[in-house]
Amino acid sequence: MRHLLRLLSMSAPALLAAALAFHFAMTLAYLTPQNPLKLRFARLINGYMFPLLQQNWHLFAPDPISDTRLVMVACRLRQPDGSTTETGWTDITTPYWEAHLQDRLGPATRVARSVTGAARMTYSADPTSLQMAKKLEERRARAQAGGGEADAPEAQVIDALQAEVKKEQDEGFQLGKNVLDRAGSAHCDSLYGPDRTTAVRMRLAVLEFPRFSRRDLPDSKGEMKYYDFDWGPYQPVAPLPAAAGGAESPAGSRAAVLEAR
């Protein structure tokens, strides 16, 4: 027993160093731009990083914020006579930000980021992958226009990259929509009571600010766009007291006014 403890104490630093080296190597590989090596080991890298270690560098994006994005939910409710009715849209994003302003150390901002992050996953993909696929496809088109064809290895790279981009988009959409449906289910329970919701529908509302040349106008004069998801099944989750009052939030009222307009 003493020999075993001594062996463990002697090997612990080496094991810890190896674990840290593996972790940082996987993180570095995950954050690097899309490349053939990353494509080859994509399943291993993504399997290690998702879902707990996922991260990005959007904090350092050079483009300033040009819109406000709200996640909204509609609920399909079961009535006492067995029929169903569909509610209007309720903003579920703004109440969390308001709760965060009241309690900076509370969990509201973390929950809000999980919802807005899920919404972002439904429409985003690695921009480097998209750019590479576009450039390679343009090269293939030029080769075909010149009477020739892209070399077989190059064509295989193009097809593999396009397939990887599509797979990334499909997986991101499915994961994001599942998280949104769960968040919507929790909010429907908070708004209308438990055991009443049979289905939820999510909406992403995007309010684009007036351009800089029209900076004298208020944000409400911007363009509001809506992206509706299909109805999803109700999923029982833990209650969310912060959802109460979402219909009265300023952003939700503004979205309703612009929608009516």
Side-chain angles (χ1 to χ4, degrees), residues 43-231:
R43 180 172 298 181
L44 172 63
I45 296 172
N46 293 334
Y48 178 78
M49 298 297 296
F50 285 88
L52 298 179
L53 302 176
Q54 181 187 7
Q55 55 185 289
N56 58 60
W57 293 98
H58 291 172
L59 175 64
F60 305 101
D63 299 327
I65 295 175
S66 60
D67 55 47
T68 293
R69 304 194 175 201
L70 308 174
V71 179
M72 311 177 79
V73 64
C75 312
R76 182 176 291 164
L77 305 177
R78 183 186 300 107
Q79 300 300 318
D81 60 0
S83 62
T84 59
T85 183
E86 297 177 2
T87 69
W89 295 102
T90 299
D91 171 22
I92 67 174
T93 305
T94 305
Y96 286 123
W97 301 131
E98 294 175 344
H100 175 65
L101 293 177
Q102 297 176 2
D103 182 7
R104 298 284 183 171
L105 300 179
T109 182
R110 292 191 293 273
V111 179
R113 285 175 179 171
S114 67
V115 176
T116 55
R120 188 180 299 111
M121 291 182 66
T122 62
Y123 62 83
S124 63
D126 179 40
T128 305
S129 300
L130 296 174
Q131 188 69 13
M132 290 177 61
K134 180 180 178 181
K135 292 295 184 183
L136 290 173
E137 188 61 37
E138 289 175 354
R139 181 178 298 180
R140 170 188 280 178
R142 287 196 300 269
Q144 293 176 347
E149 294 185 0
D151 296 337
E154 182 177 288
Q156 293 177 0
V157 171
I158 296 174
D159 293 338
L161 185 56
Q162 290 177 333
E164 185 65 27
V165 171
K166 186 179 185 305
K167 178 183 177 183
E168 179 184 342
Q169 291 175 318
D170 292 342
E171 291 178 348
F173 179 85
Q174 292 299 328
L175 178 59
K177 188 177 186 304
N178 182 60
V179 175
L180 288 177
D181 287 344
R182 290 176 61 83
S185 298
H187 279 272
C188 289
D189 283 347
S190 298
L191 292 168
Y192 304 105
D195 302 325
R196 292 195 60 195
T197 306
T198 61
V200 296
R201 189 178 191 184
M202 308 304 294
R203 162 181 281 187
L204 181 62
V206 181
L207 174 61
E208 296 184 354
F209 307 147
R211 300 302 89 188
F212 185 76
S213 60
R214 306 184 65 190
R215 58 189 179 276
D216 56 309
L217 298 177
D219 292 349
S220 60
K221 295 298 183 180
E223 181 181 4
M224 178 69 80
K225 297 180 180 179
Y226 297 100
Y227 303 90
D228 292 349
F229 297 91
D230 294 333
W231 284 94

Side-chain angles (χ1 to χ4, degrees), residues 237-248:
V237 294
L240 289 173
E248 302 299 327

